[in-house]
Amino acid sequence: MFSCFTFSSFLSTFALMSIRQWKLARRSLPYGERTLVMGVLNVTPDSFSDGGQFFSFDQAIAHAEQMIDEGADIIDIGGESTRPGSEFVSVEEELRRVIPITERLTANASIPLSIDTTKPSVARAALEAGAEIVNDVSALRFDPSLADEIEKANAGLILMHSRGTPKTMQQLPPVEDIMTEVIDGLRESVAVAQQHGVAPESIAVDPGIGFGKTAEQNLELIAKLDQLAREFADFPIMIGTSRKSFIGKLLDGAPADQRLYGTIASVAASVLNGAHIVRVHDVKAAVEAIKVADAIKRLSLPVSEARA
């Protein structure tokens, strides 16, 4: 007969090791056994961390191939900066930036591609060019019809919580209860997606670190990510902390290109608190840190839950 400790450990281990499937346009991506890594490919002249560094076609392709070699599970292609204070770009400009890259990577890459956009027409073109996921930083607030493109393509959809727009988000007064704000906002976005026919198994959610939150609220969201994981137990949880300003503030004003170690600490904490996917700029460092964090999580979760 199982003791309470042994049975609790068994259940926890089973839950941790069970592999679930995130349904994308042309495949299902397993998650749950190990944390997945999404590599950031900014095809923009003005992104906060690497603006202009991969703006040319050849540089973008070379960087994507490097991230794939380093162990990325997904490449997220963005043609419009969402840094604080940034302006929207035209549909035509965004298409010019991302579609050739998407087409080339689709022909050569074996891993799924994500398009980081809030525009239905850009999402449609990228999905037709081979992308399998749409990463919407507005969680359908800017244009709910984006969900129609997801439904037509049977693509994956990442709903990221944010407040305001990139231009205004850091000027908004902070909300009092960030956990309630994020949970309620994401619930509403999930409902909108499903109303437009998006399959539940195609949806992932992201608390939106840095998007209309204070530095302290960003830390709170990481510390309490397990609460978000329980609230959205049927969906993969993605988080993007990479090089963000709250890390710079903790590191005495370190600029974006000197936040690697702080980023890795936030990634490890996120994994241990329930993240299924992490979105990062520095893939090799993240992959190595996650291997360790995942190994610790496999052993520590049963013990911690048994003691609860």
Side-chain angles (χ1 to χ4, degrees):
M1 185 174 182
F2 286 122
S3 69
C4 291
F5 178 86
T6 304
F7 189 60
S8 176
S9 298
F10 168 77
L11 290 178
S12 299
T13 303
F14 179 79
L16 177 66
M17 299 303 293
S18 62
I19 302 174
R20 291 173 283 175
Q21 300 291 327
W22 182 25
K23 186 176 178 298
L24 312 182
R26 289 182 297 282
R27 74 188 89 189
S28 290
L29 195 62
Y31 71 95
E33 183 177 26
R34 67 176 181 86
T35 306
L36 303 177
V37 175
M38 172 183 276
V40 179
L41 183 61
N42 288 321
V43 193
T44 60
D46 58 343
S47 291
F48 82 95
S49 64
D50 55 8
Q53 192 173 351
F54 309 114
F55 192 44
S56 79
F57 181 86
D58 290 341
Q59 288 173 322
I61 295 299
H63 186 55
E65 291 174 345
Q66 177 186 338
M67 290 191 290
I68 293 168
D69 289 343
E70 291 174 347
D73 298 287
I74 307 165
I75 299 295
D76 190 41
I77 304 166
E80 178 178 74
S81 174
T82 54
R83 63 177 174 78
S86 62
E87 301 276 0
F88 294 119
V89 302
S90 69
V91 169
E92 293 75 20
E93 176 62 17
E94 194 172 344
L95 288 169
R96 186 187 68 79
R97 293 175 182 180
V98 302
I99 298 307
I101 302 295
T102 304
E103 290 174 339
R104 171 64 70 85
L105 290 177
T106 297
N108 297 336
S110 60
I111 66 173
L113 305 178
S114 168
I115 180 68
D116 184 350
T117 190
T118 63
K119 300 181 179 72
S121 55
V122 174
R124 183 188 317 120
L127 291 168
E128 290 173 352
E132 298 188 57
I133 304 164
V134 176
N135 182 10
D136 179 10
V137 300
S138 82
L140 303 177
R141 286 190 303 111
F142 294 171
D143 194 337
S145 69
L146 177 66
D148 296 328
E149 303 301 332
I150 309 299
E151 186 275 331
K152 291 174 188 173
N154 294 314
L157 171 61
I158 300 167
L159 298 168
M160 194 199 78
H161 179 273
S162 60
R163 301 174 61 229
T165 67
K167 185 174 182 179
T168 66
M169 62 187 180
Q170 295 308 108
Q171 301 167 14
L172 298 173
V175 298
E176 290 187 9
D177 184 343
I178 194 60
M179 291 303 297
T180 298
E181 165 76 16
V182 169
I183 289 169
D184 289 350
L186 288 175
R187 279 178 179 161
E188 183 176 344
S189 295
V190 167
V192 171
Q194 292 181 319
Q195 287 165 9
H196 284 257
V198 179
E201 59 268 26
S202 294
I203 298 172
V205 298
D206 181 337
I209 299 295
F211 283 75
K213 288 93 173 173
T214 66
E216 292 76 16
Q217 288 175 337
N218 291 324
L219 293 171
E220 181 181 355
L221 285 165
I222 296 169
K224 297 179 180 178
L225 196 63
D226 57 333
Q227 294 183 24
L228 193 73
R230 287 194 296 271
E231 291 286 342
F232 296 93
D234 294 331
F235 307 111
I237 305 296
M238 189 176 92
I239 193 166
T241 61
S242 185
R243 302 183 184 177
K244 289 190 173 175
S245 62
F246 80 98
I247 296 173
K249 289 179 181 178
L250 288 170
L251 301 179
D252 301 321
D257 63 355
Q258 294 178 30
R259 299 172 187 167
L260 173 60
Y261 301 137
T263 292
I264 293 306
S266 69
V267 165
S270 297
V271 170
L272 294 173
N273 285 335
H276 299 109
I277 310 162
V278 296
R279 184 179 183 273
V280 298
H281 299 83
D282 302 287
V283 169
K284 185 176 187 296
V287 166
E288 292 184 356
I290 286 167
K291 284 181 180 178
V292 177
D294 278 344
I296 293 169
K297 186 176 180 178
R298 288 187 188 98
L299 293 175
S300 66
L301 255 182
V303 175
S304 64
E305 289 193 7
R307 289 175 177 169

